[in-house]
Amino acid sequence: MVREILIWPDPILKQKAKPVTKVDDSTRALVKDMFETMYAADGVGLAAPQIGVLQRVIVLDTTPRQPESKPLAMINPELVALEGETTYNEGCLSLPGESEDVDRAAVVTVKYLDVDGQEQTLRCDELLAIAVQHETDHLNGTVFVDHVSTLKREFIRKRMKKLKASRESELNPSASR
């Protein structure tokens, strides 16, 4: 099921997600919905808080840019090693139409549970490394604009508030009269 993606500065996006205590059918259903939502929005990553679920779950699929990678669901991801530095022009499904350069680690090692509850460790580079860091930030209540200047962030905040207001008036035309 495709779910609604929250638009920043929705207060839920500032909250810290809770660890998943047990990987079960409800967790797998959430992962399935997240993949469907991410693909419908043409994204490469999505974190559960972006659909209003405060659980430490992310989904990623960088195969269009990294054919050797595969779609991944990470439950309770934890960055255990960061190497090097890179700058990447990031966008976000919660900030449609916006992108800014963000400094990140070039390579990350992440420990997580898969959809079967098995612990995995993965070394990520290129776009996958960026996406893992970006989505993990969401689990900690951080969005990519928290990494840019206050001035840029305020311009983006104004644009997102206008976008949110126009979407709400489209959904509920009688409210705007």
Side-chain angles (χ1 to χ4, degrees):
M1 172 176 77
V2 174
R3 301 204 197 179
E4 181 185 353
I5 296 172
L6 301 178
I7 300 297
W8 182 80
D10 190 294
I12 290 173
L13 296 172
K14 294 300 293 174
Q15 295 183 44
K16 194 168 178 155
K18 306 262 186 289
V20 173
T21 54
K22 182 178 175 210
V23 178
D24 57 17
D25 287 343
S26 69
T27 310
R28 287 184 276 280
L30 172 63
V31 165
K32 182 177 182 289
D33 287 356
M34 288 174 65
F35 271 117
E36 288 177 17
T37 303
M38 178 185 74
Y39 290 135
D42 199 25
V44 298
L46 185 70
Q50 289 179 275
I51 58 169
V53 177
L54 288 171
Q55 291 185 17
R56 297 188 75 78
V57 179
I58 64 176
V59 295
L60 308 147
D61 188 353
T62 60
T63 53
R65 299 255 264 314
Q66 290 179 290
E68 73 286 356
S69 69
K70 61 182 195 274
L72 291 164
M74 297 182 176
I75 300 155
N76 299 335
E78 180 186 340
L79 301 177
V80 293
L82 306 171
E83 303 168 39
E85 291 179 18
T86 190
T87 301
Y88 192 86
N89 191 265
E90 294 185 28
C92 179
L93 296 177
S94 290
L95 290 108
E98 301 292 338
S99 66
E100 290 292 335
D101 286 346
V102 178
D103 296 330
R104 299 274 189 192
V107 178
V108 299
T109 302
V110 59
K111 190 169 71 173
Y112 63 95
L113 300 177
D114 64 21
V115 292
D116 297 318
Q118 300 300 306
E119 189 171 292
Q120 305 289 332
T121 302
L122 183 65
R123 190 170 189 268
C124 310
D125 62 7
E126 298 176 3
L127 180 57
L128 186 57
I130 301 299
V132 166
Q133 292 170 85
H134 178 110
E135 301 309 332
T136 303
D137 270 359
H138 276 298
L139 302 180
N140 296 321
T142 300
V143 292
F144 84 92
V145 293
D146 291 328
H147 296 285
V148 303
S149 73
T150 304
L151 183 63
K152 282 183 182 178
R153 189 169 40 255
E154 286 312 308
F155 281 131
I156 293 169
R157 182 186 311 274
K158 286 177 184 166
R159 289 193 294 265
M160 290 299 101
K161 283 189 173 185
K162 279 184 190 171
L163 174 66
K164 207 170 181 179
S166 80
R167 283 189 179 179
E168 286 169 2
S169 68
E170 285 172 16
L171 293 173
N172 190 1
S174 63
S176 60
R177 290 186 199 147

